[in-house]
Amino acid sequence: MTSWLASAQDSPFGLHNLPYGVFSTAEEPGRRRIGVRVGDAVLDAGAAASAAGEPSELLEAANLNPLLAAGRPAWTATRASLTRWLTDESHREALTPHLHPADAVTLHLPFEVADYVDFYASEHHATNLGRIFRPGTEPLTPNWKHLPIGYHGRSGSIVVSGTDVARPHGQRKAPADELPSFGPSRRLDIEAEVAFVVGAGSELGTPVSQADFREHVFGVCLLNDWSSRDIQAWEYVPLGPFLGKSFATSLSPWVVPLDALEAARVAPPARDFELLPYLADVEGEPWGLDIALTVRLNGQVISRPPFAGMYWTAAQQLAHMTVNGASLRPGDLFASGTVSGEERETRGALIELTWNGQEPVKLADGTTRTFLEDGDTVTISGTAPGPDGTVVSFGEVTGRIVP
Ligand code: CA
């Protein structure tokens, strides 16, 4: 399968990927359109559909929500149409005017985020944080290996990659302090995560099984769950994360379709006991994903977290968050939790990389970091294996800390 678009050849944004986003141009900054990344270009998907003689209301929308709501058959048909338009030479002339250079467009949040859930699925991350926060006790809580632990986050403060992140203010209290103080966070951190975009909704009262994962999940993004460790440490007992997380969460602009990730599917780690039936690993239908993340601080690689080793899969997380009958809505987003591997250089948060600030990260300019300073830029990128030796790129999620 070859595209008539030269830059699509051997590109991690080739026909095997075709991620969806929302863009505007310098000429029409107020008009948001659905775009599909292909090679070095962004295809104006709605205009392309019309030019191909197959107008589509789903692709002419200002964001992905109508397409998300339309469900799996529409997603499959739309992807097939895009592939056909980009391979069939007869569409070349009509579609070419609707290709925009990828570096010339402005990318926006690709969909209106409905509910947002964040999980905690890396055994290495959970173990490291257990050791840091609760020294001398068992690092994993007794429930950790039996259910995917998560919390409901704040969807309204999810921002697209490239948005500056203002250092949050809040209550901080170190263990040695007698009373809390108020001011800017001194321990601002990142969490490198993979996020799943829900398309088709579900009925209140009806759980979604792992077998129906593909019917409900549209695609995958990268996410940075910015975290204020000093605000978090003082507020999180007994109800969990609150203002230490909700000030900003950055999302990558391209949603990689689940269909592009077939070759990346891997089995999660072996369990040493049997999970309850609704969470049991499904033989032959693994939903672990071999996504390799790279975390850069001011351009320098500080970590390479491997998503393949996560203890809980997204299918198990989806089954768990609906098992009580909670319903799904188009645009729901759920994130994996910090992706951390076993070795130090694969940890997905500064609190682990620097072991709570005790072992600073050295940067090329001679400075060190325990937590983020104003002006720091953090960029998380990701790739996965595609079909026939290709590479699927997720692009990146980036953000700069401002006072
Ligand atoms: Ca998180």
Side-chain angles (χ1 to χ4, degrees), residues 118-119 151 191 193 225 245 337-338:
D118 195 19
F119 284 97
Y151 67 95
E191 293 194 339
E193 306 196 16
D225 176 24
K245 300 276 193 177
T338 308

Side-chain angles (χ1 to χ4, degrees), residues 17 30 90 96 103 105 111 129 156-157 171 175 188 201 234 252-253 259 273 279 314 327 329 333 353 381 386:
N17 189 348
S90 70
T96 299
D103 55 11
V105 302
F111 55 96
L129 261 64
S157 51
Q171 283 200 27
L188 189 52
W234 171 229
S252 62
D259 285 337
F273 62 95
L279 290 172
S327 52
R329 291 188 292 171
L333 184 71
L353 278 165
S381 54

Side-chain angles (χ1 to χ4, degrees), residues 38-402:
V38 54
D40 296 338
V42 174
L43 179 68
D44 181 334
S50 293
E54 303 169 45
S56 161
E57 282 182 13
L58 300 178
L59 293 178
E60 280 163 15
N63 62 35
L64 293 177
N65 292 69
L67 179 62
L68 296 179
R72 175 58 57 188
W75 308 338
T76 303
T78 302
R79 185 167 168 81
S81 297
L82 287 162
T83 304
R84 187 157 39 78
W85 302 336
L86 287 163
T87 47
D88 188 339
E89 183 68 35
S90 70
H91 289 300
R92 180 182 194 139
E93 197 180 328
L95 259 65
T96 299
H98 304 298
L99 288 164
H100 301 265
D103 55 11
V105 302
T106 300
L107 296 168
H108 304 277
L109 210 55
F111 55 96
E112 192 179 330
V113 182
D115 285 304
Y116 166 53
V117 166
D118 195 19
F119 284 97
Y120 194 51
S122 159
E123 184 173 355
H124 301 296
H125 174 73
T127 302
N128 286 336
L129 261 64
R131 287 189 179 129
I132 289 169
F133 281 127
R134 298 181 298 277
T137 64
E138 196 57 43
L140 288 183
T141 50
N143 54 0
W144 198 90
K145 286 198 167 184
H146 293 272
L147 56 82
I149 289 178
Y151 67 95
H152 284 94
R154 191 167 190 85
S155 52
S157 51
I158 294 178
V159 297
V160 72
S161 173
T163 307
D164 284 346
V165 173
R167 180 178 298 273
H169 285 56
Q171 283 200 27
R172 314 149 305 186
K173 182 187 164 303
D177 298 343
E178 195 187 334
L179 291 168
S181 62
F182 182 87
S185 172
R186 299 176 183 123
R187 293 160 65 86
L188 189 52
D189 199 355
I190 59 162
E191 293 194 339
E193 306 196 16
V194 172
F196 294 81
V197 180
V198 172
S202 66
E203 294 281 329
L204 190 65
T206 306
V208 175
S209 71
Q210 289 191 67
D212 288 334
F213 179 73
R214 181 192 288 284
E215 301 308 310
H216 291 276
V217 171
F218 174 79
V220 185
C221 290
L222 306 179
L223 180 142
N224 187 347
D225 176 24
W226 305 96
S227 298
S228 163
R229 300 302 180 194
D230 40 1
I231 295 173
Q232 182 184 2
W234 171 229
E235 74 175 2
Y236 90 107
V237 180
L239 279 186
F242 189 31
L243 303 181
K245 300 276 193 177
S246 63
F247 57 94
T249 307
S250 297
L251 188 67
S252 62
W254 295 115
V255 185
V256 172
L258 209 57
D259 285 337
L261 296 169
E262 274 300 308
R265 293 174 65 179
V266 291
R271 323 292 179 182
D272 43 20
F273 62 95
E274 246 177 73
L275 294 166
L276 286 169
Y278 78 98
L279 290 172
D281 296 307
V282 182
E283 192 71 31
E285 281 291 324
W287 277 111
L289 290 171
D290 182 13
I291 301 172
L293 300 180
T294 302
V295 182
R296 289 182 173 82
L297 175 53
N298 297 337
Q300 179 177 328
V301 175
I302 57 166
S303 180
R304 296 186 186 278
F307 188 67
M310 298 292 270
Y311 184 88
W312 296 108
T313 69
Q316 289 165 327
Q317 291 169 335
L318 187 76
H320 185 65
M321 73 188 202
T322 60
V323 76
N324 64 349
S327 52
L328 301 171
R329 291 188 292 171
D332 281 357
L333 184 71
F334 63 102
S336 61
T338 308
V339 183
S340 288
E342 199 168 358
E343 298 81 22
R344 180 178 193 265
E345 61 276 15
T346 63
R347 296 173 184 162
L350 284 170
I351 192 169
E352 293 172 86
L353 278 165
T354 68
W355 208 255
N356 206 19
Q358 293 169 36
E359 302 167 21
V361 170
K362 293 185 182 69
L363 297 182
D365 63 3
T367 62
T368 60
R369 289 292 183 285
T370 49
F371 293 95
L372 296 172
E373 296 186 1
D374 291 344
D376 281 350
T377 296
V378 177
T379 304
I380 303 164
S381 54
T383 57
D388 307 318
T390 55
V391 173
V392 173
S393 175
F394 288 79
E396 63 180 36
V397 56
T398 191
R400 183 178 55 133
I401 303 301
V402 296

